[in-house]
């Protein structure tokens, strides 16, 4: 099965660490990152999709962050 996650956070080092941790756990970048202004907070937000091939079948209760 191919798992998909969309990592998001404010434009800080924490976002970069979140993506780096996913890469270290075997996730691969999927597509280009996105960068947008959040008018509710007045801050910039980042998003990056990642994918990972894992054994087994999809289940709605799958904890993607634990793969």
């Amino acid at each position: 099965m191919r798992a998909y996650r969309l990592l998001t956070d404010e434009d800080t080092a924490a976002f970069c660490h979140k993506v780096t941790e996913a890469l270290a756990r075997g996730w691969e970048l999927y597509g280009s990152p996105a960068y947008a202004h959040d008018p509710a907070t007045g801050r910039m937000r980042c998003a990056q999709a990642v994918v990972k091939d894992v054994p087994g079948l999809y289940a709605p209760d799958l904890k993607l962050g634990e793969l």
Side-chain angles (χ1 to χ4, degrees):
M1 175 190 82
R2 188 153 192 146
Y4 170 92
R5 292 175 67 196
L6 181 64
L7 306 174
T8 63
D9 209 338
E10 290 185 2
D11 183 22
T12 66
F15 175 74
C16 295
H17 284 282
K18 186 184 287 191
V19 174
T20 300
E21 180 183 7
L23 295 173
R25 291 180 177 220
W27 291 85
E28 297 176 18
L29 298 177
Y30 184 79
S32 299
Y35 193 62
H37 182 260
D38 180 352
T41 64
R43 298 180 185 216
M44 296 302 290
R45 294 195 56 86
C46 300
Q48 175 65 59
V50 292
V51 293
K52 182 178 184 180
D53 290 322
V54 295
L57 299 174
Y58 171 76
D61 61 341
L62 185 65
K63 305 290 187 212
L64 296 171
E66 296 176 6
L67 296 178

